[in-house]
Amino acid sequence: MTVLLRPDLDALPLYQQLPTAARVQLSNNETAFPPLPRVAAALTAGLADINRYPPVSPHTTATRLAEHLDVPAGSVAVGAGSATLLLQLMQAVVHGPSSIVYGWRSFEAYPILVRVSGAEARPVPLTGDLVHDLDAMLAAVTATTRMIIICNPNNPTGTALHRDALAKFLAAVPEHVVVVLDEAYREFVTDPDTPDGLELVREAAGRGNLVTLRTFSKAYGLAGLRIGYCAGPIDLIRAVTKVGVPFSVSTLAETAALISLDSADELAQRCALVRTERDRVGQALHGLGHEFLPSQGNFLWLPLADRSPAFAAHCAADGVMVRPFGTEGVRVTIGSPADNDAFLAVARTFA
């Protein structure tokens, strides 16, 4: 007897992760910093209890986050990373003929998650400046559209929408369509005109279709523990929690997240260092004659077009791993000063 698999899985792309054993790892948008000392100590102590299940749902962390973010109780859901929460959001709203609109190029998981959810993917090309084309995204909305995803700042380009443009867009989106602001890189933003999704969620409390996604993987340095959160309307957050897998957030992840929330000063210092390095690497690339986009994330986008594979291979040959995206460009994570210097040394020798 042959197992009957979903026929659409044959066309489902796999999320590609480059080798992680490189001398310098600048392909995954991770932070170069280890866990905060208090976090590391708590995780070591917590190992004694990993024979016990975590809570069915991370209610303690969700409640603490609601207080921390100044949003109503019940308006935050916590999950095993923001990508998992995005899938839960899709599972909560996709029913019958459904479609999901998102900008492209953007986070590689979007087309995968949309197909897994059973919805039709409707990618909308970015503008010539590699920013979300909000007018085109609105034009892509139909009666079947359940969700619009906006990555802001956008991964992998680092570009960000401005406040007025996003506010105008949100006012025009039909109320039945959930708008998800994926703000995984919010802590690295320096442009004052880039809106804070949490502020927009608070302002849109009566509208009921705006959600922001955040993660502890980037600025907080907890990528290996898989924990993130979303904030939005209470009814939608309740649905997101219902479709979550029980016990999916580990006790260690909750412990690390709660301690990190109480370490705002240390977090701010680390983010400032990343932003300083981002500027330094950008200036150095400019001096070497390499084009790059001004970025609001912890990475830079080099629009190398058909030279992208050769540039990535050149870096890899010297043990520096960066992330090529076909023949569009290369994303370079901002790492430690030493790692960034190693990258710049390789970039200097690329003809």
mmCIF file of all heavy atoms in Angstrom, residues 206-238:
data_model
loop_
_atom_site.group_PDB
_atom_site.id
_atom_site.type_symbol
_atom_site.label_atom_id
_atom_site.label_comp_id
_atom_site.label_asym_id
_atom_site.label_seq_id
_atom_site.Cartn_x
_atom_site.Cartn_y
_atom_site.Cartn_z
ATOM 1 N N GLY A 206 -9.312 49.073 18.126
ATOM 2 C CA GLY A 206 -10.717 48.893 17.781
ATOM 3 C C GLY A 206 -10.947 48.331 16.398
ATOM 4 O O GLY A 206 -12.053 47.905 16.068
ATOM 5 N N ARG A 207 -9.898 48.332 15.572
ATOM 6 C CA ARG A 207 -10.044 47.867 14.191
ATOM 7 C C ARG A 207 -9.976 46.347 14.108
ATOM 8 O O ARG A 207 -10.741 45.723 13.387
ATOM 9 C CB ARG A 207 -8.958 48.506 13.332
ATOM 10 C CG ARG A 207 -9.023 48.157 11.861
ATOM 11 C CD ARG A 207 -8.010 48.997 11.091
ATOM 12 N NE ARG A 207 -7.825 48.530 9.723
ATOM 13 C CZ ARG A 207 -8.601 48.854 8.703
ATOM 14 N NH1 ARG A 207 -9.633 49.646 8.921
ATOM 15 N NH2 ARG A 207 -8.372 48.397 7.486
ATOM 16 N N GLY A 208 -9.039 45.741 14.818
ATOM 17 C CA GLY A 208 -9.068 44.292 14.986
ATOM 18 C C GLY A 208 -8.428 43.451 13.915
ATOM 19 O O GLY A 208 -8.684 42.256 13.844
ATOM 20 N N ASN A 209 -7.573 44.028 13.036
ATOM 21 C CA ASN A 209 -6.968 43.185 12.008
ATOM 22 C C ASN A 209 -5.464 43.397 11.858
ATOM 23 O O ASN A 209 -4.872 42.959 10.873
ATOM 24 C CB ASN A 209 -7.646 43.414 10.655
ATOM 25 C CG ASN A 209 -7.359 44.789 10.072
ATOM 26 O OD1 ASN A 209 -7.076 45.736 10.801
ATOM 27 N ND2 ASN A 209 -7.440 44.901 8.750
ATOM 28 N N LEU A 210 -4.833 44.059 12.820
ATOM 29 C CA LEU A 210 -3.400 44.327 12.736
ATOM 30 C C LEU A 210 -2.649 43.546 13.814
ATOM 31 O O LEU A 210 -3.015 43.570 14.987
ATOM 32 C CB LEU A 210 -3.119 45.822 12.890
ATOM 33 C CG LEU A 210 -1.646 46.241 12.812
ATOM 34 C CD1 LEU A 210 -1.060 45.919 11.443
ATOM 35 C CD2 LEU A 210 -1.499 47.734 13.122
ATOM 36 N N VAL A 211 -1.572 42.865 13.385
ATOM 37 C CA VAL A 211 -0.749 42.056 14.289
ATOM 38 C C VAL A 211 0.709 42.385 14.033
ATOM 39 O O VAL A 211 1.117 42.598 12.883
ATOM 40 C CB VAL A 211 -0.977 40.548 14.048
ATOM 41 C CG1 VAL A 211 -0.031 39.714 14.898
ATOM 42 C CG2 VAL A 211 -2.415 40.166 14.340
ATOM 43 N N THR A 212 1.511 42.435 15.086
ATOM 44 C CA THR A 212 2.955 42.555 14.921
ATOM 45 C C THR A 212 3.636 41.303 15.437
ATOM 46 O O THR A 212 3.222 40.738 16.464
ATOM 47 C CB THR A 212 3.523 43.798 15.632
ATOM 48 O OG1 THR A 212 4.942 43.846 15.445
ATOM 49 C CG2 THR A 212 3.234 43.769 17.124
ATOM 50 N N LEU A 213 4.633 40.858 14.708
ATOM 51 C CA LEU A 213 5.446 39.707 15.111
ATOM 52 C C LEU A 213 6.813 40.198 15.559
ATOM 53 O O LEU A 213 7.445 41.019 14.885
ATOM 54 C CB LEU A 213 5.640 38.747 13.931
ATOM 55 C CG LEU A 213 4.517 37.807 13.526
ATOM 56 C CD1 LEU A 213 4.894 37.079 12.237
ATOM 57 C CD2 LEU A 213 4.235 36.792 14.627
ATOM 58 N N ARG A 214 7.285 39.685 16.677
ATOM 59 C CA ARG A 214 8.622 39.991 17.178
ATOM 60 C C ARG A 214 9.301 38.677 17.595
ATOM 61 O O ARG A 214 8.637 37.654 17.778
ATOM 62 C CB ARG A 214 8.554 40.929 18.385
ATOM 63 C CG ARG A 214 7.881 42.290 18.125
ATOM 64 C CD ARG A 214 8.794 43.242 17.396
ATOM 65 N NE ARG A 214 8.150 44.519 17.121
ATOM 66 C CZ ARG A 214 8.247 45.610 17.877
ATOM 67 N NH1 ARG A 214 8.940 45.571 19.017
ATOM 68 N NH2 ARG A 214 7.662 46.734 17.527
ATOM 69 N N THR A 215 10.612 38.727 17.763
ATOM 70 C CA THR A 215 11.350 37.517 18.095
ATOM 71 C C THR A 215 12.446 37.796 19.109
ATOM 72 O O THR A 215 12.944 38.924 19.199
ATOM 73 C CB THR A 215 11.974 36.911 16.823
ATOM 74 O OG1 THR A 215 12.647 35.701 17.149
ATOM 75 C CG2 THR A 215 12.977 37.872 16.178
ATOM 76 N N PHE A 216 12.824 36.769 19.839
ATOM 77 C CA PHE A 216 13.981 36.833 20.726
ATOM 78 C C PHE A 216 15.230 36.278 20.031
ATOM 79 O O PHE A 216 16.289 36.198 20.638
ATOM 80 C CB PHE A 216 13.716 36.042 22.013
ATOM 81 C CG PHE A 216 12.760 36.717 22.958
ATOM 82 C CD1 PHE A 216 11.401 36.453 22.899
ATOM 83 C CD2 PHE A 216 13.211 37.625 23.898
ATOM 84 C CE1 PHE A 216 10.510 37.073 23.767
ATOM 85 C CE2 PHE A 216 12.338 38.250 24.770
ATOM 86 C CZ PHE A 216 10.982 37.979 24.704
ATOM 87 N N SER A 217 15.097 35.900 18.769
ATOM 88 C CA SER A 217 16.199 35.251 18.061
ATOM 89 C C SER A 217 17.289 36.220 17.628
ATOM 90 O O SER A 217 18.454 35.836 17.556
ATOM 91 C CB SER A 217 15.665 34.525 16.821
ATOM 92 O OG SER A 217 14.812 33.472 17.170
ATOM 93 N N LYS A 218 16.934 37.445 17.314
ATOM 94 C CA LYS A 218 17.887 38.373 16.720
ATOM 95 C C LYS A 218 18.594 39.196 17.794
ATOM 96 O O LYS A 218 19.644 38.835 18.265
ATOM 97 C CB LYS A 218 17.178 39.267 15.696
ATOM 98 C CG LYS A 218 16.360 38.495 14.672
ATOM 99 C CD LYS A 218 17.206 37.525 13.860
ATOM 100 C CE LYS A 218 16.372 36.800 12.830
ATOM 101 N NZ LYS A 218 17.134 35.797 12.071
ATOM 102 N N ALA A 219 17.994 40.322 18.168
ATOM 103 C CA ALA A 219 18.650 41.226 19.108
ATOM 104 C C ALA A 219 18.940 40.567 20.451
ATOM 105 O O ALA A 219 19.965 40.824 21.080
ATOM 106 C CB ALA A 219 17.796 42.473 19.311
ATOM 107 N N TYR A 220 18.046 39.680 20.891
ATOM 108 C CA TYR A 220 18.208 39.057 22.203
ATOM 109 C C TYR A 220 19.187 37.877 22.181
ATOM 110 O O TYR A 220 19.549 37.360 23.234
ATOM 111 C CB TYR A 220 16.850 38.576 22.736
ATOM 112 C CG TYR A 220 15.916 39.689 23.132
ATOM 113 C CD1 TYR A 220 15.004 40.209 22.231
ATOM 114 C CD2 TYR A 220 15.944 40.224 24.416
ATOM 115 C CE1 TYR A 220 14.137 41.237 22.582
ATOM 116 C CE2 TYR A 220 15.083 41.242 24.794
ATOM 117 C CZ TYR A 220 14.183 41.747 23.877
ATOM 118 O OH TYR A 220 13.331 42.759 24.239
ATOM 119 N N GLY A 221 19.569 37.419 21.001
ATOM 120 C CA GLY A 221 20.569 36.360 20.907
ATOM 121 C C GLY A 221 20.096 34.996 21.354
ATOM 122 O O GLY A 221 20.882 34.194 21.843
ATOM 123 N N LEU A 222 18.793 34.692 21.168
ATOM 124 C CA LEU A 222 18.258 33.406 21.625
ATOM 125 C C LEU A 222 17.773 32.552 20.447
ATOM 126 O O LEU A 222 16.826 31.780 20.581
ATOM 127 C CB LEU A 222 17.096 33.639 22.608
ATOM 128 C CG LEU A 222 17.409 34.469 23.856
ATOM 129 C CD1 LEU A 222 16.172 34.583 24.734
ATOM 130 C CD2 LEU A 222 18.561 33.856 24.647
ATOM 131 N N ALA A 223 18.448 32.665 19.300
ATOM 132 C CA ALA A 223 17.995 31.957 18.104
ATOM 133 C C ALA A 223 17.895 30.447 18.329
ATOM 134 O O ALA A 223 16.989 29.792 17.807
ATOM 135 C CB ALA A 223 18.936 32.257 16.932
ATOM 136 N N GLY A 224 18.821 29.886 19.092
ATOM 137 C CA GLY A 224 18.825 28.443 19.308
ATOM 138 C C GLY A 224 17.737 27.943 20.242
ATOM 139 O O GLY A 224 17.493 26.732 20.305
ATOM 140 N N LEU A 225 17.066 28.846 20.950
ATOM 141 C CA LEU A 225 16.015 28.438 21.889
ATOM 142 C C LEU A 225 14.616 28.535 21.293
ATOM 143 O O LEU A 225 13.672 27.986 21.851
ATOM 144 C CB LEU A 225 16.080 29.294 23.164
ATOM 145 C CG LEU A 225 17.232 28.976 24.114
ATOM 146 C CD1 LEU A 225 17.232 29.942 25.295
ATOM 147 C CD2 LEU A 225 17.139 27.543 24.610
ATOM 148 N N ARG A 226 14.470 29.237 20.175
ATOM 149 C CA ARG A 226 13.207 29.325 19.456
ATOM 150 C C ARG A 226 12.055 29.864 20.309
ATOM 151 O O ARG A 226 11.248 29.121 20.841
ATOM 152 C CB ARG A 226 12.798 27.957 18.861
ATOM 153 C CG ARG A 226 13.859 27.232 18.080
ATOM 154 C CD ARG A 226 14.473 28.093 16.978
ATOM 155 N NE ARG A 226 13.466 28.624 16.071
ATOM 156 C CZ ARG A 226 13.383 29.909 15.716
ATOM 157 N NH1 ARG A 226 14.230 30.799 16.214
ATOM 158 N NH2 ARG A 226 12.446 30.304 14.895
ATOM 159 N N ILE A 227 12.011 31.179 20.428
ATOM 160 C CA ILE A 227 10.889 31.803 21.120
ATOM 161 C C ILE A 227 10.639 33.188 20.517
ATOM 162 O O ILE A 227 11.569 33.957 20.264
ATOM 163 C CB ILE A 227 11.120 31.896 22.649
ATOM 164 C CG1 ILE A 227 9.881 32.479 23.336
ATOM 165 C CG2 ILE A 227 12.389 32.663 22.999
ATOM 166 C CD1 ILE A 227 9.875 32.285 24.859
ATOM 167 N N GLY A 228 9.363 33.451 20.244
ATOM 168 C CA GLY A 228 8.955 34.733 19.705
ATOM 169 C C GLY A 228 7.547 35.051 20.174
ATOM 170 O O GLY A 228 6.944 34.279 20.932
ATOM 171 N N TYR A 229 7.011 36.184 19.729
ATOM 172 C CA TYR A 229 5.661 36.544 20.183
ATOM 173 C C TYR A 229 4.955 37.393 19.138
ATOM 174 O O TYR A 229 5.582 37.958 18.236
ATOM 175 C CB TYR A 229 5.710 37.278 21.518
ATOM 176 C CG TYR A 229 6.470 38.592 21.519
ATOM 177 C CD1 TYR A 229 5.816 39.809 21.307
ATOM 178 C CD2 TYR A 229 7.838 38.625 21.783
ATOM 179 C CE1 TYR A 229 6.502 41.003 21.330
ATOM 180 C CE2 TYR A 229 8.538 39.825 21.806
ATOM 181 C CZ TYR A 229 7.866 41.004 21.580
ATOM 182 O OH TYR A 229 8.549 42.198 21.597
ATOM 183 N N CYS A 230 3.648 37.452 19.239
ATOM 184 C CA CYS A 230 2.855 38.349 18.409
ATOM 185 C C CYS A 230 1.871 39.084 19.303
ATOM 186 O O CYS A 230 1.427 38.561 20.331
ATOM 187 C CB CYS A 230 2.139 37.613 17.284
ATOM 188 S SG CYS A 230 0.902 36.420 17.796
ATOM 189 N N ALA A 231 1.575 40.308 18.914
ATOM 190 C CA ALA A 231 0.618 41.140 19.649
ATOM 191 C C ALA A 231 -0.440 41.629 18.686
ATOM 192 O O ALA A 231 -0.138 42.020 17.553
ATOM 193 C CB ALA A 231 1.332 42.321 20.304
ATOM 194 N N GLY A 232 -1.694 41.586 19.135
ATOM 195 C CA GLY A 232 -2.787 42.002 18.266
ATOM 196 C C GLY A 232 -4.126 41.908 18.971
ATOM 197 O O GLY A 232 -4.196 41.822 20.206
ATOM 198 N N PRO A 233 -5.202 41.894 18.209
ATOM 199 C CA PRO A 233 -6.556 41.838 18.788
ATOM 200 C C PRO A 233 -6.752 40.574 19.628
ATOM 201 O O PRO A 233 -6.303 39.492 19.246
ATOM 202 C CB PRO A 233 -7.460 41.818 17.554
ATOM 203 C CG PRO A 233 -6.617 42.327 16.440
ATOM 204 C CD PRO A 233 -5.227 41.932 16.734
ATOM 205 N N ILE A 234 -7.435 40.710 20.732
ATOM 206 C CA ILE A 234 -7.576 39.600 21.674
ATOM 207 C C ILE A 234 -8.244 38.391 21.030
ATOM 208 O O ILE A 234 -7.813 37.251 21.233
ATOM 209 C CB ILE A 234 -8.359 40.067 22.925
ATOM 210 C CG1 ILE A 234 -7.498 41.056 23.732
ATOM 211 C CG2 ILE A 234 -8.742 38.878 23.796
ATOM 212 C CD1 ILE A 234 -8.201 41.654 24.931
ATOM 213 N N ASP A 235 -9.288 38.602 20.234
ATOM 214 C CA ASP A 235 -9.975 37.461 19.607
ATOM 215 C C ASP A 235 -9.037 36.695 18.679
ATOM 216 O O ASP A 235 -9.046 35.457 18.649
ATOM 217 C CB ASP A 235 -11.198 37.946 18.816
ATOM 218 C CG ASP A 235 -12.332 38.393 19.719
ATOM 219 O OD1 ASP A 235 -12.256 38.108 20.934
ATOM 220 O OD2 ASP A 235 -13.281 39.021 19.217
ATOM 221 N N LEU A 236 -8.236 37.412 17.918
ATOM 222 C CA LEU A 236 -7.302 36.756 17.004
ATOM 223 C C LEU A 236 -6.193 36.058 17.777
ATOM 224 O O LEU A 236 -5.799 34.933 17.441
ATOM 225 C CB LEU A 236 -6.716 37.778 16.027
ATOM 226 C CG LEU A 236 -5.714 37.244 15.004
ATOM 227 C CD1 LEU A 236 -6.320 36.112 14.186
ATOM 228 C CD2 LEU A 236 -5.239 38.368 14.082
ATOM 229 N N ILE A 237 -5.686 36.688 18.810
ATOM 230 C CA ILE A 237 -4.624 36.076 19.620
ATOM 231 C C ILE A 237 -5.144 34.808 20.294
ATOM 232 O O ILE A 237 -4.424 33.802 20.402
ATOM 233 C CB ILE A 237 -4.105 37.079 20.668
ATOM 234 C CG1 ILE A 237 -3.399 38.249 19.971
ATOM 235 C CG2 ILE A 237 -3.167 36.392 21.649
ATOM 236 C CD1 ILE A 237 -2.235 37.856 19.097
ATOM 237 N N ARG A 238 -6.390 34.813 20.721
ATOM 238 C CA ARG A 238 -6.985 33.615 21.320
ATOM 239 C C ARG A 238 -7.004 32.476 20.304
ATOM 240 O O ARG A 238 -6.684 31.322 20.616
ATOM 241 C CB ARG A 238 -8.391 33.919 21.816
ATOM 242 C CG ARG A 238 -9.039 32.747 22.562
ATOM 243 C CD ARG A 238 -10.438 33.085 23.028
ATOM 244 N NE ARG A 238 -10.445 34.200 23.960
ATOM 245 C CZ ARG A 238 -11.046 35.367 23.736
ATOM 246 N NH1 ARG A 238 -11.686 35.571 22.593
ATOM 247 N NH2 ARG A 238 -11.015 36.331 24.635
#
